[in-house]
Amino acid sequence: MARFKVRSLQFALLLTVLLGWELSVRLGWVDAFFFSRPSDIAARIYEWFVSGEVYRHLWITLLETVLAFLSGTLAGVALGLWLALSPTAAAVLDPFLKALNSVPRVILAPIFTLWFGLGIASKVALGFTLVFFVAFFNTYQGIREVSPVILANARMLGASGSQLLRHVYLPSATSWILSSLRTSVGFAVIGAVVGEYLGASAGLGYVISQAEGVFDTTSVFAGIVVLAVFVVLLDVAVNLVERRLLVWRPEPGQEGGTV
Amino acid sequence: MQDCEKTTPAVELRGVTQRFGDYTAVQGVNLVLTAGEFVAVVGPTGCGKSTLLNVIAGLRPPAAGEVRVFGRLLTGLNRRAGYLFQQDALLPWKTALENAALGLTFAGVPRAEAYERAAAWLAKVGLAGFGDRYPHQLSGGMRKRVALAQVLIMDPKILLMDEPFSALDVQTRQLMENELLRLWEEDQKSVLFVTHDLEEAIALADRVVVMSAGPASRPIGEFPVPLERPRDVTEVRLTEEFLGVHREIWSLLREEVMRAHGQV
């Protein structure tokens, strides 16, 4: 019941904003040239999907996102594991990693385009630099924060080094990595879209950038809406994966469980 | 226990000292745990009882002195010992069954056999049918039972216990204590049981060792507990002998507790 109430209020809010926008333009309070109109934007999105021209761009952006996400996560987890278990390496690399992470990634986009061309590789590279650090820091943290008691217990039960890694360190870090998946996916999308925006021949970022070039505000807003829905769907997918992999974790308030 | 006198002690500490930086936790500790004996170590908080267990477990080598396990000098982890920790030490991402089978899994026992034996142990500690629960779905007492099964399934000759029941409510605690005595009487492991609760120590042990207040604490008294076995920890507390032993040990322990508090 409460859920239904929240849903209806959300729907009402959305409707109010869209109607207000539509009316403001129709009554001439704001200029359609700068703000377009919800009805036009909806029509434009419908057009894109009916003609099918948007699918190519969606596919490219999705591909870049997934590749950046996977490569960044894998590399970040590998380095996180290594540094967490090797304090010397961590001490040596620490200032370099901090320096690299402090570079604003947008700055790198042109140079990646120069190195990797206008295709998807330069966008994957940009997303990689964002995702990598999220995965790295979370893995590092996850491994460093393994409870010393759990570790001592596993050792007393006879765990070897590789068994500790498999049964204790990795599962512990996994919960950290998974909790950061959302951030990672968001960053992968940012990498892809910003890369496309700054120089590409396909992708949602490219579509928006092209529309802006000719002051086609309807297409700009249409692109933004498609992009937003795209990210929300990815988020839902990530949420499903997270729930599947963290079945062992207590729901908030469930701690202590049954007696 | 007379013939045990002739055999090698399960654990023998000689002049064991442990430091953490500048802080000396325990100093010059001599302690013998006879094979098959149940010894309780009591002392005020911060007297280095856990430190002593970690040294015997081989988790942290002593700064000075030596540890002998069945006569052999201990280097590295103590493979003859099982350790029941004060805090929750179960793997939260494994079910009760997987947790109970953990040691066997590490030892390379085939999965089917390991799970079968783990299920039997869970039943033995009163958790039949709870194998597929994750630790957070179990109560504190149930988690302790899983931990007990996890340790005992490896059949350690020495059992190190660090205030294992201190987080439980009184009823659950006495239930667990009786259960522990029942399991111990089955195959008479050597148990070193650390606690700050004198009543618990007397109810369970053959011998109670009193530690002085820290820093640089060491054993300052040993008291045999002449209570008959098998015991019921609830009923034994009401006997005249129990109160006598309690009075005797408390007269020594009280000063140490006062000292520990004076320093805080």
Side-chain angles (χ1 to χ4, degrees), chain A residues 171-249:
Chain A
S172 168
T174 302
S175 70
W176 277 75
I177 297 165
L178 287 175
S179 345
S180 72
L181 272 191
R182 285 219 175 112
T183 327
S184 292
V185 166
F187 276 0
V189 175
I190 291 174
V193 172
V194 168
E196 288 163 2
Y197 189 82
L198 293 175
S201 53
L204 286 175
Y206 166 78
V207 170
I208 295 173
S209 143
Q210 288 299 102
E212 281 178 356
V214 295
F215 300 107
D216 177 3
T217 42
T218 305
S219 289
V220 172
F221 280 115
I224 290 172
V225 170
V226 172
L227 194 57
V229 172
F230 173 76
V231 174
V232 167
L233 289 180
L234 277 181
D235 198 57
V236 169
V238 168
N239 203 7
L240 287 178
V241 173
E242 190 177 331
R243 278 210 201 162
R244 179 76 195 79
L245 286 173
L246 292 182
V247 281
W248 57 269
R249 215 166 49 167

Side-chain angles (χ1 to χ4, degrees), chain A:
Chain A
M1 197 59 204
R3 194 184 163 82
F4 176 73
K5 195 174 166 190
V6 169
R7 284 274 179 271
S8 2
L9 282 174
Q10 284 169 336
F11 186 70
L13 180 66
L14 182 70
L15 210 63
T16 313
V17 170
L18 288 181
L19 275 176
W21 183 359
E22 183 79 34
L23 279 176
S24 314
V25 176
R26 283 192 187 266
L27 295 175
W29 295 343
V30 293
D31 192 337
F33 178 75
F34 294 111
F35 290 95
S36 189
R37 281 194 311 207
S39 53
D40 286 348
I41 295 166
R44 181 63 50 88
I45 294 173
Y46 179 75
E47 212 174 283
W48 280 353
F49 278 92
V50 167
S51 70
E53 64 175 306
V54 77
Y55 290 117
R56 185 170 68 98
H57 300 296
L58 269 177
W59 163 245
I60 293 287
T61 302
L62 179 66
L63 186 66
E64 288 162 355
T65 301
V66 169
L67 287 178
F69 174 72
L70 289 181
S71 61
T73 302
L74 276 179
V77 168
L79 190 75
L81 269 178
W82 180 45
L83 292 198
L85 298 175
S86 160
T88 318
V92 171
L93 291 181
D94 179 63
F96 300 109
L97 288 167
K98 281 199 177 123
L100 282 177
N101 189 34
S102 67
V103 176
R105 304 310 191 287
V106 183
I107 307 298
L108 296 174
I111 203 145
F112 283 157
T113 311
L114 206 60
W115 290 349
F116 304 117
L118 283 172
I120 65 167
S122 56
K123 285 76 188 171
V124 173
L126 192 61
F128 175 91
T129 62
L130 289 161
V131 172
F132 172 81
F133 284 98
V134 177
F136 164 72
F137 284 122
N138 277 288
T139 308
Y140 186 76
Q141 196 72 6
I143 295 211
R144 296 300 294 270
E145 298 216 339
V146 171
S147 144
V149 176
I150 288 184
L151 208 55
N153 189 38
R155 288 178 64 208
M156 286 306 291
L157 290 169
S160 66
S162 61
Q163 285 169 333
L164 280 184
L165 195 64
R166 186 175 148 207
H167 294 278
V168 182
Y169 284 121
L170 274 178
S172 168
T174 302
S175 70
W176 277 75
I177 297 165
L178 287 175
S179 345
S180 72
L181 272 191
R182 285 219 175 112
T183 327
S184 292
V185 166
F187 276 0
V189 175
I190 291 174
V193 172
V194 168
E196 288 163 2
Y197 189 82
L198 293 175
S201 53
L204 286 175
Y206 166 78
V207 170
I208 295 173
S209 143
Q210 288 299 102
E212 281 178 356
V214 295
F215 300 107
D216 177 3
T217 42
T218 305
S219 289
V220 172
F221 280 115
I224 290 172
V225 170
V226 172
L227 194 57
V229 172
F230 173 76
V231 174
V232 167
L233 289 180
L234 277 181
D235 198 57
V236 169
V238 168
N239 203 7
L240 287 178
V241 173
E242 190 177 331
R243 278 210 201 162
R244 179 76 195 79
L245 286 173
L246 292 182
V247 281
W248 57 269
R249 215 166 49 167
E251 301 273 331
Q254 203 196 332
E255 190 67 59
T258 44
V259 177

Side-chain angles (χ1 to χ4, degrees), chain B:
Chain B
M1 293 286 124
Q2 291 90 337
D3 38 73
C4 287
E5 306 290 346
K6 292 165 220 153
T7 60
T8 358
V11 176
E12 191 178 3
L13 301 184
R14 287 189 198 152
V16 165
T17 296
Q18 185 65 291
R19 295 190 191 91
F20 301 96
D22 291 336
Y23 181 79
T24 305
V26 293
Q27 187 155 37
V29 175
N30 298 308
L31 188 71
V32 170
L33 177 63
T34 312
E37 192 185 20
F38 198 129
V39 171
V41 177
V42 293
T45 42
C47 75
K49 298 176 298 244
S50 308
T51 308
L52 224 48
L53 286 189
N54 287 339
V55 167
I56 298 170
L59 286 168
R60 201 187 155 106
E66 60 177 44
V67 181
R68 289 189 174 273
V69 176
F70 290 108
R72 293 177 63 179
L73 193 65
L74 178 68
T75 52
L77 283 183
N78 187 344
R79 291 283 166 221
R80 312 291 292 273
Y83 199 149
L84 201 62
F85 292 85
Q86 181 179 8
Q87 306 94 323
D88 270 336
L90 298 176
L91 297 184
W93 42 85
K94 288 188 186 287
T95 61
L97 187 69
E98 289 166 341
N99 263 299
L102 199 58
L104 298 177
T105 308
F106 290 153
V109 174
R111 177 182 289 229
E113 189 198 332
Y115 284 4
E116 197 177 310
R117 283 167 62 186
W121 263 103
L122 284 183
K124 219 167 172 175
V125 295
L127 285 181
F130 286 94
D132 58 349
R133 301 279 190 100
Y134 286 95
H136 78 266
Q137 296 167 321
L138 300 169
S139 67
M142 290 162 113
R143 285 202 288 269
K144 275 292 171 243
R145 286 165 195 266
V146 178
L148 198 60
Q150 190 183 52
V151 168
L152 292 179
I153 201 171
M154 301 308 287
D155 193 25
K157 292 289 161 266
I158 302 162
L159 196 52
L160 307 172
M161 308 182 85
D162 186 4
E163 306 199 18
F165 309 139
S166 61
L168 305 178
D169 61 84
V170 179
Q171 286 83 9
T172 315
R173 185 171 177 168
Q174 297 192 349
L175 218 65
M176 289 295 292
E177 288 167 359
N178 275 331
E179 206 126 325
L180 173 66
L181 284 185
R182 184 175 59 77
L183 291 167
W184 173 72
E185 267 151 23
E186 275 179 19
D187 60 354
Q188 305 270 308
K189 297 178 189 308
S190 315
V191 180
L192 198 61
F193 190 102
V194 156
T195 177
H196 62 262
D197 180 346
L198 180 55
E199 289 194 23
E200 182 179 44
I202 299 171
L204 293 172
D206 295 321
R207 187 155 58 97
V208 175
V209 174
V210 178
M211 299 277 288
S212 68
S217 76
R218 60 194 167 73
I220 48 167
E222 281 193 25
F223 301 84
V225 180
L227 299 174
E228 272 179 29
R229 293 194 189 272
R231 299 177 191 164
D232 179 293
V233 292
T234 318
E235 284 164 21
V236 84
R237 276 168 221 246
L238 306 172
T239 62
E240 206 47 55
E241 295 95 319
F242 183 94
L243 296 173
V245 178
H246 189 281
R247 212 172 294 126
E248 193 185 354
I249 302 179
W250 179 241
S251 66
L252 177 65
L253 186 57
R254 187 176 46 204
E255 275 174 49
E256 296 307 319
V257 173
M258 301 297 237
R259 252 181 57 197
H261 279 274
Q263 277 166 3
V264 169

